[in-house]
Amino acid sequence: MDINNLMRNKKSWDEVASRFFGRNPLPEYGPMAPLEDELNLLGNVTNWKVLDIGCGSGHSLKYMDERQASELWGIDLSTKQLEAAAKTLSNSHAPVQLFESAMEVNPGLPNNYFDLVYSIYAIGWTTDLQKTFRNVHQYLKPGGIFVFSWEHPFYRLVSQKDNHFAMKISYHQEGPYDHISWQQPAIMQQYKISTYVNYLVETGFQIERLIEDIAISPEDLKRQENRWYSIAKANMIPPTFIIKCKKI
């Protein structure tokens, strides 16, 4: 676990939290990815205890509350994000527990407790993917479900100019890299799909689904093509991947 990078990311997210209020929550899994309504990865969560890793502004937990989950738990590194989540969830039917913590650290969560742990477009912010997966495995009941989404590792490696695409970074190059989209410095992580899969298997998960499909919404069609997640590029390379697995 890299404390310096975690503190850098915390400062960065506190700076930009308001820009990401309600961005891509469930039933969305990420840019141009199929919705939960289509995929049905979670199924019926009624009376389930659920944990959101990187809960952000709390809108995915609100989705869980609307589907009658019995307990809502969330972890996020950012103070500002958790303040927003507390307001989003202030009228929830289910009890809410929010923790300001890196996902690499257990801030006091119970083991063998949760029916579902999920992470929507947040897992790439960890500085220790293996430790994060081990934590999730410990939190889940036997047979519990873990679902996460993140930017597809191929997507940032390919540059686009007009209708031309070029591989600018080796797919084999893993590890931390500078996130340059914001003025405040931040560090993200690059891993191959095989690394995610192998770490999950080594931790004790059984992988049930790997999804790399795209789904172009009417909102996507209205947006400018020069955005980071462009339709032209998405038609060549999926922006998002999703994995569903089970604790065994």
Side-chain angles (χ1 to χ4, degrees), residues 93-114:
H93 300 94
V96 178
Q97 298 254 22
L98 300 175
F99 294 82
E100 184 176 324
S101 174
M103 62 183 77
E104 302 91 331
V105 178
N106 182 345
L109 299 175
N111 291 335
N112 301 303
Y113 187 76
F114 294 96

Side-chain angles (χ1 to χ4, degrees), residues 21 37 56 62 64 71 80 95 107 116 124 130 213 218-219 237:
F21 184 81
D37 303 343
K62 183 178 180 181
M64 290 293 171
E71 296 181 21
K80 296 296 184 181
L116 169 67
Q130 288 174 295
D213 300 334
E219 289 74 20
I237 306 161

Side-chain angles (χ1 to χ4, degrees), residues 21 25-27 45 50 52 55 57-69 72-73 85 87-94 96 98 118:
F21 184 81
L26 286 169
V45 301
V50 302
D52 188 331
C55 65
S57 56
H59 287 79
S60 289
L61 284 169
K62 183 178 180 181
Y63 174 88
M64 290 293 171
D65 187 56
E66 291 167 352
R67 278 142 190 81
Q68 301 180 333
L72 310 175
W73 298 60
K87 292 179 181 178
T88 299
L89 300 167
S90 60
N91 294 319
S92 296
H93 300 94
V96 178
L98 300 175
Y118 65 89

Side-chain angles (χ1 to χ4, degrees), residues 159-180:
S159 62
Q160 175 188 356
K161 186 175 182 180
D162 299 324
N163 290 322
H164 299 283
F165 300 86
M167 197 85 168
K168 60 179 182 176
I169 304 171
S170 169
Y171 182 61
H172 304 291
Q173 183 177 322
E174 297 186 294
Y177 65 92
D178 292 326
H179 178 57
I180 59 174

Side-chain angles (χ1 to χ4, degrees), residues 109-129:
L109 299 175
N111 291 335
N112 301 303
Y113 187 76
F114 294 96
D115 301 284
L116 169 67
V117 178
Y118 65 89
S119 181
I120 307 303
Y121 241 70
I123 206 75
W125 291 98
T126 182
T127 63
D128 190 332
L129 185 62

